[in-house]
Amino acid sequence: MKNIPVIMIIFGGSGDLAHRKLYPSLFNLYEQGLIHDNFAVIGTARRPWSHEYLREQVSDAIHETHDQVDENEVKAFASHFYYQSHDVTNVEHYVTLKKLAQELDDRYSAQGNRLFYMAMAPRFFGTIATHINDQHLTGSGFNRIVVEKPFGHDLTSAEQLNKEITASFDENDIFRIDHYLGKEMIQNIMPMRFTNPLIKNIWSGEYIKNIQITLAERLGVEARGGYYDTSGALRDMVQNHIFQIITLLAMPEPKDLSSDSVHQAKQELLKSLIIPTPEEVKKNFVRGQYLGSDTTFAYKKEPNVDPDSTTETYVAGKTKFTSGPIAGVPIYFRTGKEFKEKKTRIDIVLKHINNPYGQAHSNNITIEVDPESKIYITVNGKKIDEPGIRREDLTYVFSKEEMAKVPDGYERLLHDVFVNDSTNFTHWSELKRYWEFIDAVEDAWQKENEAGNSEIAQYLPYRMGPKEADNIFESPTEHWIYE
Ligand code: NAD
């Protein structure tokens, strides 16, 4: 790999994301030589840390995520880290930050390249972007910015944030990160769809009955109650991860694998996304809140959650496109907290066919994303010792050794930022469309709340969410495949 000269500035350098994901991923890229001699990282946050203390934290983060490491490598890597105590609202601090970045640029021959990473509470993103612009923090080489989720709270705030960021950065230099796009099985959707005649040829409304996406979380809101109560499952999971998955499943085949072509295919599809009316929201969406158990709180009793909260910890819904290979096919999705297990999976349900054997299941194609990585297709065959049809799974699975080689999503995506590959990041026009959909659902719910007739199903924890979600299907022969 080519050594990329750069000064990286991480806003939120003492935070959880930086510690658990960014520092270990950067170390792996360092070991592979992508960033090596000509790079430095400035971690900024409010706490009064020293350079040395940040280096200890970086070293701890690596030890916590790696079984075996060469201590000299860790030390050499950590020596590239610098700490700048910083309050995002204080102008003076940006002036100091600029000076430090310039000094390090000279010391490490970073060629004026700057990479800014917003790893802080989203309410600060706009302020940071504005100060980067006003205090001219950008360098004379490339200037890229990585923006964590959520990008806005609704379309209006997303547009405002985008305006603040584009004051200093071109669209091509803005990397709106969604770590789901770095996951192995999500990256497998395109090759699976476009290289297998068996799959490619049935990818249409003629053969596919419906598609189902489940992003199930085992845990409740834990310490994030205050933040979560202003967000909810729809904004937290559907606006980004679920819509990214839907887009990959429904988009037309790109003309090649370049970032531009992939985004072009996505944008072509998203023009035909059907935005639901309030009546459709009422009919096709279910929202829920988890109840308590002997050992856990009900959502409304969680710390920092409004006891009269109407925020959903579960949502199930339906969407469709009017163009693309699966135009008209219903795509059902659901996500929520306190499911029976943590699981991310996609089920593609094929239509039944008439056959001389009578009753037989159709085929399903299932992509398991988390916690396991596998694809399986259900296949019918004959029973051995009695008449009739049995169903078995044909499974595409990774060995333990292969799984151990799969890089973390953050490592992949950071690599892409360094080599300037935007394929697996969200383009503004895609994000805008996702917000239009989410806003339509949120507005409909808000009106129901105001009219005092909000239907928020209360569901038992550690099962499959509210039973009302079984009623969103278009026909009585459809049901959730993963139960
Ligand atoms: P965190 O609360 O652990 O860290 C926030 C950081 O911001 C800390 O370094 C803190 O010191 C700093 N900070 C807070 N107020 C400040 C101020 N006024 N001035 C300067 N610094 C200040 O948050 P996190 O979990 O690391 O999340 C950061 C971002 O990453 C969020 O946008 C989140 O949605 C996103 N994200 C996090 C994870 C994760 O696993 N933690 C996963 C996906 C996305």
Side-chain angles (χ1 to χ4, degrees):
M1 266 196 236
K2 201 169 139 248
N3 174 26
I4 302 209
V6 67
I7 303 298
M8 181 173 181
I9 301 174
I10 301 180
F11 293 95
S14 66
D16 177 67
L17 180 76
H19 191 88
R20 283 193 312 111
K21 296 291 183 185
L22 304 185
Y23 299 151
S25 298
L26 286 171
F27 178 67
N28 292 345
L29 296 174
Y30 172 82
E31 284 211 299
Q32 293 159 40
L34 182 71
I35 40 172
H36 212 270
D37 301 322
N38 309 108
F39 89 100
V41 178
I42 307 174
T44 78
R46 256 182 323 191
R47 294 179 201 179
W49 286 2
S50 62
H51 299 323
E52 210 32 62
Y53 191 77
L54 173 65
R55 289 172 194 156
E56 280 168 31
Q57 290 296 312
V58 169
S59 167
D60 287 353
I62 294 161
H63 287 108
E64 285 159 24
T65 45
H66 293 72
D67 289 338
Q68 278 186 330
V69 276
D70 176 340
E71 292 304 332
N72 290 330
E73 280 278 281
V74 176
K75 223 169 155 201
F77 171 71
S79 74
H80 289 256
F81 282 71
Y82 297 82
Y83 188 76
Q84 165 76 52
S85 178
H86 175 94
D87 187 319
V88 285
T89 53
N90 187 328
V91 179
E92 284 305 305
H93 289 178
Y94 291 89
V95 178
T96 329
L97 198 54
K98 182 180 173 178
K99 224 171 118 227
L100 177 60
Q102 192 49 55
E103 272 170 37
L104 293 175
D105 194 305
D106 295 341
R107 191 177 317 162
Y108 289 93
S109 309
Q111 300 177 13
N113 295 333
R114 298 280 185 279
L115 173 55
F116 301 88
Y117 199 117
M118 298 219 197
M120 292 191 41
R123 66 179 183 282
F124 294 124
F125 294 170
T127 313
I128 301 172
T130 304
H131 284 299
I132 290 175
N133 191 47
D134 293 352
Q135 308 311 320
H136 310 290
L137 255 75
T138 48
S140 56
F142 71 63
N143 286 286
R144 297 178 193 149
I145 186 162
V146 184
V147 191
E148 268 296 340
K149 71 152 209 170
F151 195 102
H153 182 72
D154 52 19
L155 180 58
T156 308
S157 55
E159 276 174 331
Q160 176 61 26
L161 174 58
N162 204 49
K163 210 169 121 199
E164 285 156 349
I165 296 175
T166 48
S168 302
F169 298 89
D170 293 338
E171 173 63 31
N172 288 343
D173 297 321
I174 304 170
F175 293 79
R176 299 178 194 83
I177 196 163
D178 181 332
H179 68 279
Y180 265 65
L181 288 180
K183 285 182 184 277
E184 181 66 19
M185 297 315 283
I186 300 298
Q187 296 202 343
N188 238 320
I189 293 176
M190 283 190 16
M192 188 197 79
R193 277 190 56 196
F194 301 129
T195 65
N196 294 295
L198 187 69
I199 295 176
K200 184 171 165 167
N201 289 325
I202 54 93
W203 212 261
S204 77
E206 193 178 342
Y207 300 106
I208 297 181
K209 185 170 186 169
N210 66 55
I211 290 184
Q212 307 179 8
I213 298 163
T214 305
L215 259 67
E217 295 184 280
R218 171 85 171 110
L219 299 173
V221 294
E222 301 197 292
R224 290 175 70 223
Y227 164 73
Y228 194 85
D229 209 34
T230 63
S231 166
L234 189 72
R235 288 192 171 102
D236 199 40
M237 303 293 270
V238 181
Q239 186 274 333
N240 35 61
H241 312 320
I242 287 188
F243 258 115
Q244 287 294 352
I245 296 173
I246 291 174
T247 308
L248 284 168
L249 291 166
M251 71 190 211
E253 186 168 321
K255 82 175 186 316
D256 54 47
L257 293 178
S258 68
S259 172
D260 282 352
S261 298
V262 171
H263 285 292
Q264 208 178 353
K266 288 183 172 182
Q267 285 156 27
E268 195 183 316
L269 169 80
L270 288 170
K271 276 189 226 147
S272 81
L273 172 68
I274 300 175
I275 306 291
T277 62
E279 293 70 38
E280 285 165 340
V281 171
K282 202 167 175 54
K283 196 164 134 226
N284 299 330
F285 285 75
V286 170
R287 48 179 168 155
Q289 288 174 333
Y290 57 79
L291 292 164
S293 71
D294 291 348
T295 50
T296 55
F297 290 123
Y299 176 64
K300 286 186 192 172
K301 300 232 165 86
E302 292 278 18
N304 304 320
V305 169
D306 176 357
D308 296 320
S309 176
T310 52
T311 302
E312 75 291 352
T313 62
Y314 174 100
V315 59
K318 184 182 91 167
T319 186
K320 268 187 194 177
F321 296 91
T322 56
S323 78
I326 54 164
V329 173
I331 302 171
Y332 302 105
F333 55 82
R334 59 185 165 165
T335 181
K337 299 208 173 278
E338 300 206 348
F339 262 76
K340 68 170 181 182
E341 59 187 345
K342 181 174 164 60
K343 176 88 79 184
T344 301
R345 65 180 261 170
I346 303 159
D347 296 289
I348 295 117
V349 183
L350 269 61
K351 288 183 177 168
H352 281 85
I353 47 167
N354 288 328
N355 70 84
Y357 293 89
Q359 283 285 324
H361 289 285
S362 68
N363 306 116
N364 301 331
I365 304 169
T366 295
I367 305 169
E368 279 218 16
V369 179
D370 276 328
E372 282 185 84
S373 298
K374 61 181 179 182
I375 302 172
Y376 55 91
I377 305 181
T378 59
V379 177
N380 296 319
K382 70 175 274 304
K383 286 185 176 166
I384 298 171
D385 50 1
E386 56 177 316
I389 296 297
R390 68 180 211 178
R391 181 156 76 151
E392 297 295 336
D393 293 341
L394 279 181
T395 309
Y396 175 108
V397 70
F398 300 97
S399 67
K400 261 205 180 120
E401 293 73 32
E402 280 175 318
M403 272 321 289
K405 276 195 258 166
V406 173
D408 181 78
Y410 271 96
E411 180 182 331
R412 273 203 171 119
L413 296 175
L414 273 174
H415 169 273
D416 292 351
V417 176
F418 286 121
V419 301
N420 202 18
D421 180 352
S422 308
T423 314
N424 288 310
F425 293 83
T426 313
H427 191 278
W428 167 245
S429 56
E430 296 152 22
L431 188 95
K432 192 164 174 258
R433 204 70 185 125
Y434 300 155
W435 273 127
E436 281 166 6
F437 184 98
I438 300 298
D439 279 2
V441 181
E442 291 284 357
D443 288 351
W445 283 348
Q446 188 56 35
K447 290 206 175 77
E448 284 177 24
N449 294 347
E450 283 161 11
N453 56 5
S454 52
E455 290 167 19
I456 306 174
Q458 306 293 308
Y459 62 94
L460 290 169
Y462 310 123
R463 304 205 185 159
M464 290 300 288
K467 60 179 180 348
E468 285 82 347
D470 296 343
N471 302 330
I472 64 168
F473 293 97
E474 286 188 356
S475 78
T477 59
E478 292 175 289
H479 58 90
W480 294 110
I481 297 299
Y482 165 53
E483 288 179 317

